[in-house]
Amino acid sequence: MTKRYVLVHDENKCIGCQACNVACRSENNVPESVTRIQVRIEGPHGNFPHLHFKYNRVSCEQCENAPCVTVCPTGAAYVNKDGIVSINEKKCVGCLYCVAACPYKVRFINPETRVPDKCDFCKETRLARGEQPACVVVCPTQALTFGDANDTSSEVCKLIDTKTNYLKKVELGTQPRVYRIPSRKGGI
Ligand code: SF4
Ligand code: SF4
Ligand code: SF4
């Protein structure tokens, strides 16, 4: 059966340590001036002494209906059969339409390769070796879960089915694939 890779970020478990960011940079040779993922620490929210922070993962949402793919004039930006939104560098003409079209502002020009770059769930590195994405493996609190949403016995399916979750900017019709379990202390 075709895979449909998704990621779940449990904002209750996240502590904002940025280990995911560091591991991603190392695994995928991401230059210092850009990031494929970061976790924005928002807040504090609430009243002293009951303050809390919100941990907002910012990375490619692997949209099923991806604006970056729709606008690409050459097919360089495409959705792979496993659902991972990918880039064929050989077909890219550097028009930057995809960077402008991404409503999540997570697509950037890699200053070394000079082509668009973004999170691809470590497709070329770790997934190719049968391993989980670097951010998932390094997370010290198991806040990240990755897997195939077409496999009903997978951990991601169990989480999505049993935990309250939300997706970013669903009103745009992009059908993102990064699910978020909201903090019980904050709103969504
Ligand atoms: S490594 Fe885990 S706990 Fe740390 S910021 Fe990333 S998701 Fe949150
Ligand atoms: S989040 Fe942006 S870069 Fe990622 S698939 Fe969606 S439109 Fe494309
Ligand atoms: S910069 Fe490359 S990948 Fe992006 S829209 Fe233009 S041709 Fe497609």
Side-chain angles (χ1 to χ4, degrees):
M1 190 200 301
T2 311
K3 292 188 187 306
R4 179 175 173 271
Y5 285 130
V6 305
L7 185 80
V8 180
H9 181 214
D10 188 336
E11 295 173 1
N12 289 294
K13 292 183 176 175
C14 185
I15 55 173
C17 68
Q18 307 300 327
C20 47
N21 175 328
V22 173
C24 169
R25 191 176 296 290
S26 170
E27 184 67 63
N28 299 299
N29 293 319
V30 181
E32 279 298 323
S33 58
V34 288
T35 52
R36 283 187 176 195
I37 59 168
Q38 55 180 303
V39 174
R40 292 200 185 133
I41 303 173
E42 298 170 355
H45 300 292
N47 297 309
F48 182 83
H50 305 294
L51 299 173
H52 63 271
F53 293 89
K54 178 171 164 50
Y55 301 106
N56 176 18
R57 177 177 165 119
V58 178
S59 66
C60 177
E61 299 284 334
Q62 310 296 347
C63 307
E64 269 177 63
N65 183 20
C68 61
V69 171
T70 306
V71 299
C72 180
T74 67
Y78 68 101
V79 184
N80 200 35
K81 59 181 188 303
D82 53 16
I84 298 175
V85 178
S86 304
I87 300 164
N88 181 340
E89 297 186 5
K90 290 186 184 140
K91 286 188 175 178
C92 180
V93 293
C95 66
L96 305 188
Y97 289 178
C98 57
V99 175
C102 173
Y104 301 95
K105 304 295 176 211
V106 293
R107 224 174 151 94
F108 59 89
I109 296 299
N110 186 308
E112 292 174 0
T113 64
R114 309 303 302 167
V115 293
D117 199 343
K118 64 171 196 64
C119 165
D120 63 0
F121 287 158
C122 294
K123 180 179 93 165
E124 308 287 352
T125 50
R126 300 183 63 86
L127 291 195
R129 303 193 297 260
E131 298 168 352
Q132 294 260 305
C135 58
V136 175
V137 172
V138 79
C139 178
T141 63
Q142 288 78 52
L144 296 167
T145 307
F146 171 82
D148 177 12
N150 281 344
D151 175 1
T152 52
S153 64
S154 66
E155 195 57 32
V156 286
C157 275
K158 285 182 200 155
L159 283 173
I160 293 166
D161 288 347
T162 59
K163 302 265 187 181
T164 300
N165 62 77
Y166 71 103
L167 299 161
K168 272 192 186 173
K169 298 188 179 180
V170 277
E171 68 277 10
L172 299 179
T174 48
Q175 297 176 257
R177 287 182 237 218
V178 176
Y179 294 80
R180 295 139 197 286
I181 298 173
S183 167
R184 286 185 293 273
K185 292 175 180 163
I188 60 173

